[in-house]
Amino acid sequence: MTVSVVSPNTVLANALSAAEDVLAPRIRTAPPQRITFVVGTQINGVPHLGTSLVHSLAFAAAARVRRRFGIHVEVAFGALDNAPHEVVVDPATGHRYQRAYAHALGEDVLAEQVDELYRPLFDALSERLSIPYQVEMYSQQQRTEQYRRTWLRAHRRIDAARWWLDPAHGVPHVRVPCPEPGCGWAEKSAERTRILLDAEHAEVQAVCLHHGLYEVVVGPGGGGYLDLATLYRNLVKELAAADRDRLSVMVKGGDWVFGSTLVDNAMTAIGLTGGQLPTRLFCPQVVTDTGAKLSKSLIRDGKAPLPDRSAPWMLDTRLWPGSLAEYADRLLDMAEVLLADPRHFFRSYSAGELGRLMSAPTRSVTAP
């Protein structure tokens, strides 16, 4: 049996023949030597259907671009091990503190989790489409000279961008956790963090939950763990990815559409022009029956029900009732249909509808 996808027309669909057409202006204006499809994921739990959807679409989009433009492609997976593992309130001051997964569990443990939970699907997608991929933990990325020099340059212009990166308060959070061995705690909102810049470094003063006031010097070659608020981190990551010979395509879930507008305005505020803004591909979002994003944490905490026509494997892909090879094949079958018709790609899908589409090979139906 073959199941069908039926989607309404949209303004964007009228301008495109296929979803990857949104990348064509950048590719044709300044043809790169290679294209990297960059996809990031918080590794604070097991992957769910939305995660697998974005990952498979990154590989499938790369394959379509390679076939169409004849350019070398690759996929880069950014494992965000700086997600909060614990958040506590200091009863003496009322300040909230957090410790990231990287500090609570250690980078080696998290690397093993990535190997166990993510690499098997990446290996299957890579093998089927002959597309190489690489994995980089955020802890590794923030240590690179390129990332730190980019942050130092951006922070010198932070006054121009701060209201875009934090519209509520105008103070984009910069957390440099306590460097004491075995600690790693940092103020969640960095209220008492002070940053003094010189020509090549930043002197950071902050307050630890257990060790009080501390100072860290952050420079291109090291010094402290650089943990930025989400919008600020994306600004630095996307600026650092800029390369004259390589086009970096940021592959994101559809919930990032609104946040990326703020990041683009922040980049414009610090001096970038329209042609220098990042290239992004926003993937379909998985939603519940109410139209809200499918959230493992809300369902787990009892704040939202499991959506109608959904199944446990959608929240934990390890429970897929079949082999990993079959799971990869179904994802790629569906990805090819979604990418081939922009009406199918630039929209959201309920968890139940995606479950239906994953149940058998998928085909597209042309709407009037």
Side-chain angles (χ1 to χ4, degrees), residues 45-51 286 288 293-300 304-307 310-320 327 351:
V46 298
H48 59 83
L49 175 58
T51 305
V286 186
T288 66
K293 176 184 175 181
L294 181 68
S295 170
K296 288 187 303 182
S297 58
L298 289 181
I299 295 172
R300 182 184 62 234
L306 194 67
S310 61
W313 69 265
M314 296 179 184
L315 299 180
D316 182 347
T317 58
R318 296 174 300 178
L319 303 178
W320 166 262
Y327 185 60

Side-chain angles (χ1 to χ4, degrees), residues 287-357:
V287 299
T288 66
D289 306 323
T290 67
K293 176 184 175 181
L294 181 68
S295 170
K296 288 187 303 182
S297 58
L298 289 181
I299 295 172
R300 182 184 62 234
D301 296 341
K303 298 178 180 178
L306 194 67
D308 289 343
R309 296 188 298 130
S310 61
W313 69 265
M314 296 179 184
L315 299 180
D316 182 347
T317 58
R318 296 174 300 178
L319 303 178
W320 166 262
S323 67
L324 175 65
E326 181 192 37
Y327 185 60
D329 289 339
R330 292 288 172 85
L331 285 168
L332 290 178
D333 285 345
M334 185 169 63
E336 190 62 26
V337 171
L338 300 187
L339 284 161
D341 190 330
R343 293 170 305 171
H344 300 333
F345 191 82
F346 296 104
R347 53 161 289 189
S348 298
Y349 289 86
S350 69
E353 176 66 0
L354 282 179
R356 185 183 74 89
L357 297 178

Side-chain angles (χ1 to χ4, degrees), residues 230-239 252 256 263 267:
T230 302
L231 295 179
Y232 198 3
R233 183 187 70 238
N234 272 264
L235 178 140
V236 174
K237 179 188 77 171
E238 293 177 346
L239 287 176
K252 295 179 175 293
W256 259 101
V263 175
M267 290 184 175

Side-chain angles (χ1 to χ4, degrees), residues 26 40 84 99 102 106 142 157 162 173 180 193 196-197 199 255 258 315 320 351 365:
R26 289 293 177 87
R99 189 158 67 148
Q142 62 85 31
R157 302 295 311 278
R162 64 191 185 96
H173 304 153
E180 289 291 329
T193 297
L196 178 63
L197 293 170
D255 56 318
F258 311 108
L315 299 180
W320 166 262
V365 173

Side-chain angles (χ1 to χ4, degrees), residues 117-286:
L117 298 176
Y118 294 92
R119 279 193 187 271
L121 180 59
F122 280 154
D123 288 340
L125 297 172
S126 175
E127 180 181 356
R128 280 159 176 73
L129 298 177
S130 298
I131 293 175
Y133 77 91
Q134 59 181 340
V135 174
E136 183 177 48
M137 313 292 284
Y138 176 77
S139 294
Q140 299 170 331
Q141 184 184 54
Q142 62 85 31
R143 281 197 291 262
T144 64
E145 180 177 348
Q146 174 75 357
Y147 189 91
R148 286 171 175 251
R149 287 194 182 279
T150 302
W151 173 71
L152 287 167
R153 289 196 301 269
H155 205 72
R156 290 188 175 90
R157 302 295 311 278
I158 196 63
D159 285 344
R162 64 191 185 96
W163 286 107
W164 293 112
L165 296 175
D166 184 12
H169 308 100
V171 185
H173 304 153
V174 177
R175 290 180 288 264
V176 179
C178 178
E180 289 291 329
C183 187
W185 286 94
E187 277 191 324
K188 184 170 181 60
S189 298
E191 302 100 323
R192 293 175 290 179
T193 297
R194 300 292 178 265
I195 301 174
L196 178 63
L197 293 170
D198 64 17
E200 286 289 329
H201 300 82
E203 182 179 297
V204 181
Q205 295 181 345
V207 181
C208 174
L209 174 64
H210 300 295
H211 300 99
L213 184 67
Y214 62 92
E215 294 185 0
V216 178
V217 176
V218 177
Y225 186 101
L226 189 59
D227 183 16
L228 310 175
T230 302
L231 295 179
Y232 198 3
R233 183 187 70 238
N234 272 264
L235 178 140
V236 174
K237 179 188 77 171
E238 293 177 346
L239 287 176
D243 189 316
R244 183 172 58 185
D245 298 322
R246 179 188 63 187
L247 174 64
S248 293
V249 177
M250 304 297 164
V251 183
K252 295 179 175 293
D255 56 318
W256 259 101
V257 171
F258 311 108
S260 292
T261 299
L262 293 173
V263 175
D264 284 346
N265 282 318
M267 290 184 175
T268 302
I270 64 175
L272 272 68
T273 63
Q276 295 172 310
L277 296 178
T279 302
R280 302 191 184 98
L281 184 66
F282 296 105
C283 298
Q285 188 173 349
V286 186

